[in-house]
Amino acid sequence: MDVNMPSRHYHTMTILIIWALIFLFILKPGVAHAGAEAGAQLFLHALLPYLLPYIILTQWLLKIPGHTNGKSQWKLFFKAYILGSFGGFPVGAVTVTEMLKNSEISSKYSSLLLAICHAPGPMFIIGFIGIELFADVSSGWKLLIAIHLSNLLFFILSFLFISNHKELSLSSSLKRPIISTTPFLDALKESSTVIILVATTVIFFSALGTVLANVITSTFSVEMGISKTIALTIFEMTSGVQSATDHFSSMVIYPFLIAMIVSFNGLSIHMQVFVIAKSFRIPMSPYVLARLWSIFFVPFIFYLIY
């Protein structure tokens, strides 16, 4: 039996999917353009103003030399959570990998931090969703609280079920941190890389989701609002939120639908985190489990406090 056969099948399937998507974009150029344009506008108006300043400041702070010896693991948890969870996607992944590179945490530590330091920024939830979509700032605050309660609850339960706590302690064999001589310039450079990654994934998955929604609607006679919202939710969170607002804002379930879409995140955000974490070989299993946890518990907690 050829052990390489599953790998070849996967490779063949990937190529077929790529070519199928290429033909879809060729057959639906106007739809693809509209989706990409909508993604670009959402990135410029809803993501970039909230994300860029925080990423630069976070990177700048992390690159300033500091003393990690003697710091308790709880202080490092607190630092990672505050910097990573309140900056928006994918600032948590950037923060964790930067702390790993600076030898503040071990690789064992980083996988759990990657899972819990993952939340949309307060300015996005309160400003964009709360004020612009819900027209109610208190609802934005409640959704933000639900997201962080879900993350912290996952964190607490994860610790309760970890049998070997020593695996999560700081490693004494960590390499000496790389000290930046120009922290602000380095922060600008690395922030631009992250922003380009975010823009690329948002625009591509917005275009892909719009094309697939159009194909599904025309093939199966599904209502455009439903198919577009589902497709965009799977591929790109911000576009999915906007589509849900356009088609379901008058419904009672609308706030909880937004909570579910935000907790699912979309493949665009997951791809951003995967690309950032892959360069440091951070295990992704806790991240995947935390996202499945959030899909259920964020809307549930939001329902309880709404």
Side-chain angles (χ1 to χ4, degrees):
M1 183 176 179
D2 188 355
V3 295
N4 294 322
M5 187 174 293
S7 177
R8 286 206 299 268
H9 284 317
Y10 174 79
H11 182 70
T12 302
M13 285 298 299
T14 302
I15 292 176
L16 290 175
I17 291 173
I18 293 172
W19 275 111
L21 294 178
I22 289 174
F23 282 120
L24 272 180
F25 275 74
I26 293 174
L27 292 173
K28 303 281 186 176
V31 177
H33 178 272
E37 185 178 26
Q41 289 178 351
L42 279 174
F43 170 76
L44 289 174
H45 297 296
L47 293 178
L48 186 62
Y50 299 126
L51 190 61
L52 181 58
Y54 195 91
I55 287 183
I56 293 175
L57 292 175
T58 304
Q59 284 285 303
W60 191 7
L61 181 62
L62 290 171
K63 290 183 182 301
I64 294 176
H67 300 286
T68 58
N69 292 335
K71 279 190 178 180
S72 70
Q73 63 180 15
W74 294 106
K75 287 183 179 180
L76 291 173
F77 264 124
F78 182 76
K79 174 183 177 181
Y81 192 82
I82 293 298
L83 293 179
S85 297
F86 289 88
F89 309 120
V91 175
V94 174
T95 301
V96 171
T97 54
E98 189 67 25
M99 291 180 70
L100 182 61
K101 186 168 67 175
N102 291 341
S103 300
E104 293 185 84
I105 56 175
S106 67
S107 58
K108 294 284 186 180
Y109 222 173
S110 63
S111 61
L112 182 57
L113 283 175
L114 185 71
I116 66 168
C117 297
H118 185 79
M123 295 177 67
F124 176 78
I125 295 296
I126 298 170
F128 181 65
I129 293 181
I131 296 176
E132 296 188 27
L133 301 188
F134 289 166
D136 179 20
V137 67
S138 64
S139 296
W141 275 104
K142 291 174 183 177
L143 179 56
L144 185 67
I145 291 170
I147 291 168
H148 287 284
L149 284 178
S150 175
N151 278 349
L152 293 174
L153 186 59
F154 179 85
F155 167 71
I156 293 170
L157 292 178
S158 297
F159 258 84
L160 291 177
F161 285 97
I162 290 173
S163 58
N164 186 4
H165 292 277
K166 292 182 180 179
E167 290 186 353
L168 289 176
S169 61
L170 284 174
S171 173
S172 59
S173 61
L174 290 174
K175 298 179 181 178
R176 296 185 63 181
I178 301 173
I179 298 177
S180 174
T181 55
T182 55
F184 180 65
L185 294 179
D186 290 341
L188 288 176
K189 179 181 177 181
E190 295 196 16
S191 298
S192 64
T193 303
V194 175
I195 288 298
I196 291 172
L197 172 64
V198 173
T200 302
T201 53
V202 167
I203 294 172
F204 172 74
F205 283 108
S206 293
L208 179 59
T210 303
V211 170
L212 290 178
N214 182 270
V215 171
I216 292 171
T217 300
S218 58
T219 304
F220 300 102
S221 300
V222 180
E223 202 278 319
M224 184 61 182
I226 296 175
S227 62
K228 186 175 181 180
T229 300
I230 292 175
L232 290 176
T233 296
I234 292 172
F235 292 107
E236 211 295 300
M237 181 194 74
T238 311
S239 298
V241 165
Q242 188 63 61
S243 179
T245 302
D246 295 338
H247 298 98
F248 302 103
S249 59
S250 61
M251 299 180 66
V252 177
I253 63 168
Y254 167 66
F256 312 108
L257 179 62
I258 296 297
M260 187 202 70
I261 294 172
V262 171
S263 62
F264 179 71
N265 300 160
L267 292 179
S268 172
I269 290 171
H270 298 320
M271 189 65 66
Q272 295 165 20
V273 174
F274 177 78
V275 170
I276 294 169
K278 183 183 178 182
S279 59
F280 288 86
R281 298 181 180 179
I282 298 177
M284 297 296 292
S285 298
Y287 174 83
V288 174
L289 291 175
R291 302 292 66 78
L292 294 174
W293 169 279
S294 297
I295 291 172
F296 174 77
F297 278 99
V298 170
F300 178 69
I301 297 172
F302 183 53
Y303 172 78
L304 293 179
I305 64 178
Y306 185 69

